[in-house]
Amino acid sequence: MVTTFCEVASLIRFDRLQASYESATRFSADASHQLKTPVAVLRAGLDHLSRETGLSGPQAAEVAVLRQQTRRLTALIEDLLLLAQADAGRLVLEAEEIDLLPLIAAADDDLQALVAEKNIRVEDELPTTLPARADRRRVSMVLQNLVENAAKYTPAGGTVPLYGDGLNVRDWLYVEDHCTGIDKVLRAGVAGEIYNIGGGNEVANRELRDR
C-alpha cells in the first residue's frame, strides 16, 4: 500500500485537531467544576441577604438583580459541564418519576423577574400536577433556557403563555415522511409560502410517552 505525503499530512493534522478538541473538552469540564462551588456560596449569601428586613427598596432591588445574575451564571456553568460530558461521551441521564409542576413554577418565577421591566405578561394555564419520567436536573436546565429565550425575544408589552398538560395532539412524522414532504414542496410549492404537511399519525404527547 502506498501512502502519499498529503495523506500523511492529513492524518497529522487530524491527530492535532483531535488532541486540541480533547484538551478543550477537559478544560471545559475542569473549569465548570471549579466554578460551581464559589458561585453556589455567592448565591447562598445573596439568598440570605434577600431575607433581611432592614434593606431599603433600592437595596432589595439590587440584591434581586444580583440573585438573578447568579442564577444565570449557575445555568451557564451547568450548560458548560453538560456540553463537556456530552462531547466526552459521559453524559448520563438519571430518569425518574417526577412532578414537573414545581420545576415549571421555579422557571415561572425566574421568568417573572426577567420580564418585569419589559411590561411582558406571563399567562399561566397549568394542571395541578404534571407527572413525567425525566431527569430532574436536565429538565430544569431546559426550562431555564426556555424562559431566558422567552424573556429575550418577546417584545415589550407582549405575552408569554405558559401552559401544558401533555394532552395536546401532534402529528408525528418519520424521517422518510419529511423527505417526501420536502421533495413535494420543492417541486410544486410557491416561494415564500409556509406548508404544514401531515403524516396521518396524530397522537397525544402523553400517549407517545407511554408507548
Side-chain angles (χ1 to χ4, degrees):
M1 181 178 67
V2 178
T3 302
T4 66
F5 173 79
C6 291
E7 289 173 330
V8 172
S10 297
L11 289 173
I12 293 174
R13 285 196 298 269
F14 177 79
D15 288 342
R16 289 176 177 174
L17 286 172
Q18 183 68 22
S20 177
Y21 175 77
E22 292 175 354
S23 177
T25 300
R26 287 194 300 270
F27 173 80
S28 297
D30 292 343
S32 57
H33 276 298
Q34 294 296 326
L35 287 170
K36 286 178 70 173
T37 299
V39 171
V41 172
L42 178 61
R43 184 170 179 176
L46 289 170
D47 288 342
H48 176 74
L49 185 59
S50 68
R51 293 190 291 270
E52 293 291 333
T53 58
L55 296 177
S56 65
Q59 289 173 332
E62 185 67 23
V63 170
V65 171
L66 292 174
R67 291 179 68 201
Q68 174 185 322
Q69 293 303 316
T70 55
R71 284 197 296 269
R72 186 174 182 182
L73 184 56
T74 299
L76 289 173
I77 293 171
E78 292 290 346
D79 288 346
L80 184 63
L81 180 58
L82 176 64
L83 289 174
Q85 291 174 336
D87 288 340
R90 297 198 304 267
L91 180 62
V92 178
L93 296 178
E94 300 176 356
E96 58 180 331
E97 298 296 332
I98 62 173
D99 185 359
L100 294 176
L101 205 60
L103 303 181
I104 297 174
D108 189 8
D109 288 342
D110 289 343
L111 180 59
Q112 298 281 1
L114 289 170
V115 303
E117 296 183 356
K118 295 179 63 177
N119 192 30
I120 294 175
R121 186 174 71 257
V122 179
E123 294 184 348
D124 298 335
E125 187 178 339
L126 296 167
T128 56
T129 184
L130 197 56
R133 181 170 179 79
D135 187 315
R136 186 184 304 272
R137 291 180 59 201
R138 306 309 181 204
V139 170
S140 295
M141 292 173 63
V142 171
L143 290 173
Q144 184 68 30
N145 287 332
L146 288 175
V147 299
E148 288 184 2
N149 286 334
K152 181 177 181 180
Y153 295 108
T154 302
T159 301
V160 178
L162 188 61
Y163 66 93
D165 55 10
L167 297 178
N168 292 332
V169 174
R170 296 289 186 268
D171 191 1
W172 299 90
L173 302 179
Y174 296 104
V175 173
E176 54 264 31
D177 295 326
H178 280 294
C179 294
T180 302
I182 291 173
D183 180 70
K184 185 174 182 179
V185 171
L186 284 174
R187 294 176 184 274
V190 178
E193 293 294 327
I194 298 174
Y195 295 90
N196 293 319
I197 302 174
N201 190 32
E202 297 182 352
V203 296
N205 295 339
R206 285 190 179 182
E207 182 183 346
L208 182 69
R209 179 202 65 187
D210 295 335
R211 286 186 177 182

